[in-house]
Amino acid sequence: MQKPSPKISEFQLDNGLQVVVVPDHRAPVATQILWYKVGGADDPKGASGVAHFLEHLMFKGTEEIPPGQFAKIVARNGGEDNAFTSHDVTAYFQRVAKDRLPKVMAMEADRMANLRLSEESALTERDVILEERRSRVDNDPGSILQEKVMAALFETHPYGIPIIGWENEIAKLTRDDALAFYKRFYAPNNAILVVAGDVEPEEVRRLAEETYGKHAPNPELGLRKRTPEAPHAKGETIRLADPRAGRITVQRHYRVPSYNSATKPGEAEALDLMMRVVSARTAGKLYRRLVVEEKIAASAGGWYADTGLDSGRLALYGVAAENVTAEQLDDALSRFIADLKRDGVTQAELDRARNAYLAQFIYAADSHQSLARHYGWRMATGMTLEQIEAWPDRLKKVTPEEIADVARTYLTDENSVTGILEPAAQSLAA
Amino acid sequence: MQVQRIESPGGIKAFLVESHDNPLVALRFAFRGGAAQDPDGKDGLSYFVTGMMDEGAGDLDAAAYQELEQSLAIHMDFDTARDVITCSFQTLTENREAAFELLAKVLSAPRFDADATERVKGQILASLKFDQNDPVNIASRAWTSAAFKGHPYARPVKGSLDTIPEVEPADLRAYADKVYAKDNLTIVVVGDIDAATLAKDLDRIFGALPETAELAAIPDATPAEGPFREVIEMDIPQSIAQFGQAGIMRTDPDFLPAYILNYIIGGGGFNSRLMEEVREKRGLAYSVNSHLFPFAHACVFMGRVATKNEAVGQSLQVIQTELERLAADGPTEDELDGAKRYLTGAYALRFDSSAAIANQLLWLELEGLGVDYVDERNALIDAVTLDDVARVAKRMLHADRLITTIVGKPAEMPPQALAG
């Protein structure tokens, strides 16, 4: 199979900022993504949601940029911008015509150190976030269950706390909470800058030095310490009956290693490919069993969340077919998982899924944006550039035996949490 | 970016942008037709058909087809909209021949087997069950059915729990036979393929389709005039409100001023008035926006806000006031300038990958503008004056005649509720 050759390079500024350049000269467009190595799992105890709160407040202004003007200035320069917070990283990005890149780099560098916040704008934004929580969680029973499942999967590690925060804790967040977090974590030596598109490394280096290069590193920045997850004695099942649930859904979640947390070489790759065999849409092994053969589920699938700094997780789920109970569906999932542990996957299944997966790396190279995201996210969560580039080769080495091994090791009762969502007797919609 | 016009020996036309940087080919094509062609009582048929396109073709049953699609690492995605069925198809260069052969089978010999039909039916019904309790979806369906009563656009694109169980393999086949044809087909190809190869491939993929589609005539429609307000009670902490009225058609000379106006109202994210007034100044909502949807036979100007039940009245009042102000005074010079700078500056961002270019060119063709519009578009935006936008604001915005659907438990309503 042909390899994409985007000629990606990296360097570091004197203040510790890591810079990655992804050249793609097909269109006169550039993307900047600044990744801070901090996220919701770094929120102080009792102040859940600070990392995400700060992400919103980063748009409020600096000495240079008047309050509320950041996004407007980007738009007036013909750019698009946004930001997001995960448990481990917080990222800010802009896409612009290439000649506006110096402008947005200057703006992003400016708010790395010069944020200005009024008490009033922080309080208004807190209300916005409470509305965001209502939209994302309270109005959606699937998300309510997801929060409960995460809390059970991670009882001590902060991955069990929602990134957006618990409602009662968001309601108490202040401007000072956000600023303290900002001062501690937002610094060039805690960030990765990815610039992709119609650029060359030398000009990115010059621009980065002129902008980000002005900031001093934060010497206080220590290692991120999160409370580790203690082993669980047994699995747990969480049931949620909600009038808004359309159909019975059963999900089985497992704590498993991520690419970063895996201690044995090849385990994350094996889990990754296992889940591609299991959950590749209609060609997936789980869909074949539950939907096509047993007709117990209307749909079925799964995923492997593999980027976590401290742990990964994976999930298999089914949406019940008409007249199928949660118990029947749960039982079918259990049988599937038991068979997967006993029989593993066949070489033919692995080859098909791997072909499709390796092709993803080539498809991704069609968009410099997806490359910027791919490289930035991986590097911010522990992979080196060399490891990312060698990834397809590592995937090629995975064998069916290794997949059976990780299935037996990690798909255990004590690593699991089952989430069941059922329609309550009465629909809320009149 | 150089767009070539290709015609195959068999007379099939396509637009091609060659790009040999990455070893892949992106193909985007569309059949005019879409959900508006669903027969009475079979709402959701075209959506169902698109869900069946990876369920077997020719000598391959569903399982064999899906395994081959995975082995070849093909991305194939059919989708239906009101007026058109689209397909996005990507293959690696090294699998091109086999991939195109498979696509030819999918288009000319879809199987619509009984067991696959039952399976996909089960999936659509399950997803309709979820939609039925999703406040955004409920508000949207109620709005559409109020705005387009009696017109094919009133039908839900995905169908309903009443119509989907009625769909049989024969219906699916009949729809495909009518809509998959050559004379309603538009094709764009971008990527690692040259003109001569593509010309041959076009015949191989599309050559077996019938010459002409059999499409029912769809009359033009004007969304109903309000004031009309419907509250659908649901016990949730945050209400969803959808509001809107007739927009301005793509073919109308006032379309571009209306497009810019929508950006200023709620299409421009943080650069828009509704975001400024509802979110930034008052913290009433996380999301508030507006859109202009130019369908082939109608245009809708529509917006949406999600806000806690106690603040629904206040949010709708703020929105109504802004629409009234814009209708009376038009936007400011500064707002127009900001909109033009974004819309012209960001146009290049839509052409930064093969898949994105293919998508843009396809829609330019479907909307009747033609691929050359790419070079004219920014000058047309720049030529729009403040007077144009003010005039169109007066023409399009009638805040006292909105159709509004609200899902949730809104605490209190602005006075318009009495009129509606």
Side-chain angles (χ1 to χ4, degrees):
Chain A
M1 184 164 315
Q2 285 166 271
K3 253 191 175 177
S5 54
K7 296 184 287 289
I8 291 156
S9 60
E10 67 170 328
F11 54 88
Q12 194 164 36
L13 301 191
D14 292 341
N15 61 13
L17 180 74
Q18 248 180 298
V19 185
V20 179
V21 183
V22 184
D24 175 354
H25 301 293
R26 290 175 299 159
V29 173
T31 298
Q32 162 176 249
I33 312 186
L34 184 67
W35 303 79
Y36 287 103
K37 292 187 248 181
V38 68
D42 303 297
D43 291 341
K45 265 214 169 62
S48 60
V50 171
H52 173 255
F53 184 38
L54 174 60
E55 177 230 297
H56 276 235
L57 296 177
M58 286 292 282
F59 290 85
K60 293 300 175 193
T62 65
E63 282 163 15
E64 297 276 315
I65 309 281
Q69 291 297 308
F70 191 97
K72 286 180 191 161
I73 294 171
V74 174
R76 279 171 177 259
N77 279 281
E80 289 173 353
D81 79 318
N82 214 329
F84 66 86
T85 309
S86 79
H87 272 122
D88 296 311
V89 301
T90 310
Y92 299 84
F93 72 88
Q94 298 88 29
R95 281 190 343 117
V96 287
K98 177 226 163 75
D99 62 345
R100 306 303 162 98
L101 179 65
K103 173 86 184 166
V104 294
M105 284 179 71
M107 288 172 68
E108 194 60 76
D110 176 40
R111 68 176 170 176
M112 176 182 268
N114 303 318
L115 184 62
R116 289 288 170 273
L117 271 185
S118 71
E119 191 67 52
E120 194 203 342
S121 67
L123 292 181
T124 305
E125 200 58 31
R126 196 172 73 184
D127 287 341
V128 169
I129 291 173
L130 287 166
E131 287 297 339
E132 183 182 0
R133 195 183 146 83
R134 288 182 194 108
S135 288
R136 285 190 196 276
V137 185
D138 304 337
N139 262 17
D140 174 15
S143 301
I144 296 171
L145 179 64
Q146 178 69 14
E147 272 194 354
K148 292 177 193 292
V149 164
M150 286 293 280
L153 210 50
F154 298 99
E155 291 177 347
T156 50
H157 189 284
Y159 286 168
I161 298 167
I163 295 159
I164 196 167
W166 299 115
E167 185 175 3
N168 61 326
E169 295 185 1
I170 299 172
K172 286 186 302 194
L173 294 176
T174 64
R175 166 183 175 272
D176 290 348
D177 291 329
L179 285 177
F181 196 84
Y182 175 67
K183 290 206 177 83
R184 175 156 177 222
F185 291 111
Y186 280 40
N189 52 329
N190 197 37
I192 299 177
L193 172 68
V194 183
V195 180
D198 194 9
V199 293
E200 282 300 327
E202 277 321 303
E203 61 176 313
V204 173
R205 182 192 288 271
R206 184 176 51 78
L207 290 169
E209 273 165 0
E210 287 167 11
T211 53
Y212 296 96
K214 289 186 291 196
H215 301 318
N218 176 5
E220 314 275 285
L221 192 75
L223 276 179
R224 282 197 267 182
K225 281 224 178 83
R226 283 92 171 259
T227 316
E229 187 66 18
H232 296 201
K234 61 181 186 60
E236 200 177 322
T237 297
I238 294 164
R239 298 185 89 106
L240 177 66
D242 191 304
R244 292 169 290 168
R247 274 281 178 88
I248 294 166
T249 308
V250 178
Q251 320 162 343
R252 182 101 77 245
H253 299 254
Y254 294 92
R255 275 183 314 283
V256 298
S258 66
Y259 272 94
N260 189 61
S261 75
T263 47
K264 288 184 201 153
E267 279 198 336
E269 288 82 355
L271 285 163
D272 201 351
L273 279 165
M274 175 181 86
M275 287 311 286
R276 284 174 195 271
V277 172
V278 166
S279 65
R281 292 182 57 232
T282 50
K285 208 171 163 68
L286 182 64
Y287 179 95
R288 284 287 158 84
R289 171 81 78 87
L290 266 52
V291 179
V292 180
E293 289 162 27
E294 296 187 353
K295 302 191 194 314
I296 266 184
S299 62
W303 64 87
Y304 172 36
D306 62 7
T307 59
L309 206 55
D310 306 317
S311 175
R313 56 201 163 78
L314 65 78
L316 295 88
Y317 73 87
V319 175
E322 199 107 46
N323 302 320
V324 168
T325 66
E327 284 64 32
Q328 288 168 321
L329 182 53
D330 185 56
D331 178 59
L333 260 182
S334 297
R335 280 185 285 109
F336 175 84
I337 292 161
D339 291 352
L340 181 65
K341 289 165 74 172
R342 191 189 60 220
D343 306 331
V345 304
T346 67
Q347 187 70 49
E349 287 170 334
L350 173 58
D351 289 343
R352 271 206 314 274
R354 179 160 39 205
N355 259 349
Y357 191 12
L358 292 173
Q360 285 303 118
F361 290 81
I362 298 173
Y363 283 125
D366 183 39
S367 157
H368 72 251
Q369 261 191 99
S370 25
L371 284 184
R373 208 179 154 93
H374 175 67
Y375 279 82
W377 197 310
R378 292 296 167 183
M379 291 178 79
T381 52
M383 270 197 204
T384 63
L385 184 58
E386 293 71 34
Q387 283 170 333
I388 300 172
E389 309 247 282
W391 191 354
D393 289 331
R394 294 203 308 280
L395 292 170
K396 284 178 197 162
K397 291 187 189 127
V398 173
T399 64
E401 292 71 35
E402 289 170 307
I403 289 178
D405 277 349
V406 290
R408 283 171 205 137
T409 309
Y410 294 108
L411 303 187
T412 60
D413 176 57
E414 59 271 23
N415 281 344
S416 79
V417 172
T418 302
I420 298 177
L421 184 62
E422 308 175 87
Q426 224 177 352
S427 173
L428 286 178
Chain B
M1 185 175 78
Q2 201 201 337
V3 185
Q4 305 174 58
R5 287 166 166 78
I6 308 295
E7 184 163 348
S8 74
I12 293 171
K13 292 178 181 155
F15 299 92
L16 168 65
V17 178
E18 284 188 48
S19 167
H20 302 283
D21 294 308
N22 290 314
L24 58 89
V25 182
L27 177 68
R28 285 279 276 167
F29 58 92
F31 297 102
R32 271 183 297 110
Q37 296 293 324
D38 291 349
D40 280 338
K42 298 275 162 89
D43 298 356
L45 180 59
S46 69
Y47 180 80
F48 202 146
V49 168
T50 58
M52 292 294 293
M53 300 315 292
D54 63 348
E55 293 288 340
D59 53 340
L60 303 169
D61 68 7
Y65 171 85
Q66 289 154 2
E67 286 182 9
L68 189 54
E69 187 187 26
Q70 191 189 30
S71 300
L72 294 171
I74 292 166
H75 288 188
M76 183 181 82
D77 193 10
F78 279 84
D79 199 8
T80 197
R82 297 233 170 256
D83 308 301
V84 71
I85 283 186
T86 59
C87 176
S88 159
F89 187 92
Q90 279 181 283
T91 175
L92 304 183
T93 308
E94 64 181 7
N95 295 334
R96 197 196 79 243
E97 298 246 353
F100 283 176
E101 193 185 315
L102 195 61
L103 178 57
K105 250 181 220 175
V106 166
L107 288 172
S108 53
R111 283 167 67 119
F112 303 122
D113 287 338
D115 60 338
T117 302
E118 282 311 300
R119 202 159 54 232
V120 172
K121 187 182 281 185
Q123 280 156 16
I124 297 174
L125 289 172
S127 95
L128 286 169
K129 279 285 212 182
F130 284 105
D131 291 352
Q132 207 179 32
N133 293 289
D134 170 24
V136 174
N137 201 288
I138 298 168
S140 168
R141 282 189 178 225
W143 196 94
T144 306
S145 94
F148 288 110
K149 199 160 276 172
H151 189 272
Y153 283 175
R155 295 175 189 149
V157 172
K158 272 170 82 170
S160 72
L161 296 172
D162 297 326
T163 61
I164 292 297
E166 304 302 315
V167 173
E168 300 297 334
D171 298 312
L172 300 166
R173 186 168 303 285
Y175 184 95
D177 286 347
K178 281 183 190 157
V179 174
Y180 291 173
K182 288 180 189 163
D183 71 335
N184 62 333
L185 171 63
T186 306
I187 307 164
V188 179
V189 181
V190 181
D192 189 18
I193 186 169
D194 61 59
T197 311
L198 177 60
K200 273 182 262 155
D201 285 346
L202 288 174
D203 282 338
R204 204 174 299 164
I205 302 169
F206 300 102
L209 290 173
E211 291 301 323
T212 49
E214 296 170 48
L215 300 180
I218 306 298
D220 283 351
T222 309
E225 203 162 274
F228 170 84
R229 172 170 288 164
E230 184 181 2
V231 177
I232 299 160
E233 280 238 355
M234 195 171 177
D235 193 6
I236 47 177
Q238 183 185 63
S239 295
I240 309 294
Q242 180 166 327
F243 53 90
Q245 54 199 174
I248 289 182
M249 301 272 281
R250 192 68 188 84
T251 47
D252 191 302
D254 277 344
F255 177 79
L256 278 183
Y259 179 73
I260 294 172
L261 175 65
N262 175 63
Y263 178 88
I264 292 168
I265 296 169
F270 286 99
N271 223 10
S272 75
R273 269 212 197 177
L274 295 187
M275 199 72 147
E276 180 70 21
E277 296 297 328
V278 177
R279 173 169 162 164
E280 292 299 284
K281 282 196 187 153
R282 298 179 177 83
L284 293 172
Y286 171 65
S287 68
V288 55
N289 52 46
S290 72
H291 308 271
L292 195 60
F293 289 120
F295 302 119
H297 302 284
C299 184
V300 164
F301 164 72
M302 183 279 267
R304 198 178 281 145
V305 62
T307 186
K308 62 186 168 197
N309 289 326
E310 308 86 83
V312 175
Q314 193 192 351
S315 294
L316 287 176
Q317 186 63 62
V318 170
I319 291 166
Q320 194 178 329
T321 303
E322 286 313 312
L323 297 181
E324 279 164 2
R325 280 180 51 204
L326 277 162
D329 310 329
T332 65
E333 189 74 59
D334 187 56
E335 283 175 318
L336 176 62
D337 184 53
K340 284 182 178 179
R341 280 169 184 269
Y342 171 77
L343 293 170
T344 55
Y347 195 49
L349 307 184
R350 299 192 199 171
F351 298 89
D352 71 344
S353 71
S354 293
I357 292 168
N359 191 43
Q360 285 299 316
L361 297 183
L362 181 77
W363 282 100
L364 289 177
E365 281 297 314
L366 289 175
E367 290 187 344
L369 299 167
V371 296
D372 296 333
Y373 186 78
V374 175
D375 299 320
E376 301 151 18
R377 188 262 195 190
N378 276 358
L380 293 172
I381 297 266
D382 275 330
V384 173
T385 66
L386 196 59
D387 284 349
D388 291 334
V389 183
R391 175 174 48 77
V392 172
K394 248 183 204 71
R395 178 181 160 193
M396 186 172 90
L397 302 176
H398 305 283
D400 56 339
R401 281 181 263 160
L402 291 170
I403 295 179
T404 308
T405 52
I406 302 165
V407 179
K409 273 191 134 175
E412 57 173 299
M413 288 297 177
Q416 194 196 323
L418 301 172

